[in-house]
Amino acid sequence: MDNCIFCKIINGEIPSQKVYEDELVLSFKDINPEAPAHVLIIPKKHISSLNELEKEDEHIISHVFMVAKEIVKELGIEKSGYRIVTNCGEDGGQTVPHVHFHLLGGRSLQWPPG
Ligand code: 5GP
Ligand code: ZN
């Protein structure tokens, strides 16, 4: 997608600190971390938000969680705990219109979020 920051990160136009990559997903460090461990996991396919998710994308989203399971081991937060969040739309606080999952850990996280 033209003008999508995350599509530009996927195609290398914008640099990122990669954590994991395969044919379906990319993971990289969030530029503005909210926790000691804060990475984003995104599908390589441009999907604007969860509202635009199609049945055919189901395998991509389940793959995101399988990948997250491995990344938390790399980050050393498997035992201490972590949170995976996806923001959708204005009230959800979504600022980048390309589906992404925040993986946060490395400190005690508050609940409910503000
Ligand atoms: P949202 O607010 O849409 O849920 O999350 C977007 C996230 O993307 C934010 O946490 C923000 O810090 C991160 N972000 C925005 N632009 C860039 C960028 O160019 N590079 C990286 N690594 N993260 C970004
Ligand atoms: Zn995109």
Side-chain angles (χ1 to χ4, degrees):
M1 257 309 203
D2 296 347
N3 283 326
C4 170
I5 298 171
F6 287 174
C7 282
K8 287 183 178 171
I9 287 177
I10 291 163
N11 70 26
E13 266 183 83
I14 296 177
S16 69
Q17 286 185 272
K18 269 182 212 175
V19 173
Y20 176 87
E21 181 171 19
D22 66 23
E23 68 284 2
L24 289 179
V25 303
L26 176 69
S27 177
F28 52 94
K29 291 187 180 177
D30 196 292
I31 205 168
N32 183 24
E34 298 288 353
H38 186 177
V39 305
L40 301 173
I41 308 172
I42 69 173
K44 286 191 168 174
K45 177 180 177 183
H46 180 89
I47 303 166
S48 302
S49 80
L50 280 191
N51 290 341
E52 281 72 41
L53 204 60
E54 310 270 5
K55 183 73 181 162
E56 67 187 30
D57 303 324
E58 209 169 7
H59 68 294
I60 304 175
I61 302 306
S62 54
H63 186 61
V64 164
F65 284 86
M66 293 310 294
V67 164
K69 186 187 164 195
E70 297 307 316
I71 293 174
V72 297
K73 291 181 199 164
E74 296 289 319
L75 296 176
I77 56 173
E78 184 190 13
K79 296 279 188 290
S80 52
Y82 53 90
R83 184 173 296 161
I84 297 173
V85 178
T86 186
N87 297 326
C88 188
E90 199 178 338
D91 281 358
Q94 184 180 9
T95 58
V96 177
H98 180 130
V99 165
H100 50 281
F101 295 82
H102 297 259
L103 169 55
L104 298 140
R107 68 169 169 84
S108 179
L109 300 163
Q110 303 304 304
W111 190 263

